[in-house]
Amino acid sequence: MHGLDGELVAVEAPHNGAAMPTLPLDADDPRAAGPYTGRARPGEGGMGAVHLADGPDGPVALKVVRRLLAADETFRTRFRREVLSARRVSGRGVVQLLDADTESDRPDLAMAYVARPTLRAEAPASGPLRGGRLRARAGAPAR
């Protein structure tokens, strides 16, 4: 997304009230997608941005696809497959897919919001992950 020069803001994390650094929504960020209302942008990557959004049942992580990719039918086909695959995966350590819109101008998917520090934030605060902390952090996605 554009506008990464925005100031960092603190958004209260729903699980414990601790503030997490996020970027404010910029001009290119949707303010709403279906029943979800964006509050902030905690992250982004090559595919798009992840927004902390309010949904009917509480906070969600809303992944919104970049405009350029949304205009690419090959990408849309892959995104549809990603959504279908995510709907089939469940279990301990898997973040639940709540909703998805693969056909809108800006495709998106909403996943359960899991409030925890990023690796980038956790490592400087407590040093390199070792032993049990490393196994717990690395093993969660594999469970």
Side-chain angles (χ1 to χ4, degrees):
M1 297 288 169
H2 304 71
L4 287 180
D5 54 1
E7 282 186 43
L8 287 178
V9 296
V11 173
E12 186 175 305
H15 77 299
N16 65 5
M20 64 180 211
T22 63
L23 291 168
L25 298 176
D26 66 23
D28 196 40
D29 289 326
R31 296 310 188 252
Y36 307 102
T37 304
R39 287 199 311 184
R41 186 167 24 100
E44 62 182 57
M47 190 162 143
V50 177
H51 298 85
L52 174 58
D54 294 318
D57 297 318
V60 300
L62 183 67
K63 181 180 188 179
V64 180
V65 173
R66 293 179 185 276
R67 288 185 192 283
L68 185 62
L69 291 174
D72 180 342
E73 193 54 42
T74 301
F75 171 82
R76 279 184 176 266
T77 299
R78 285 194 320 263
F79 187 73
R80 289 181 193 108
R81 280 195 312 258
E82 176 184 336
V83 168
L84 288 173
S85 295
R87 289 187 196 282
R88 291 191 296 260
V89 177
S90 64
R92 185 174 171 209
V94 176
V95 178
Q96 180 185 6
L97 175 66
L98 302 173
D99 198 2
D101 183 349
T102 60
E103 306 308 315
S104 67
D105 290 343
R106 300 279 301 275
D108 61 73
L109 56 87
M111 302 189 83
Y113 177 75
V114 178
R116 72 176 299 156
T118 64
L119 285 174
R120 180 173 286 160
E122 190 174 347
S126 56
L129 298 179
R130 294 193 170 95
R133 284 182 46 231
L134 176 60
R135 284 188 293 281
R137 190 67 130 114
R143 290 193 261 289

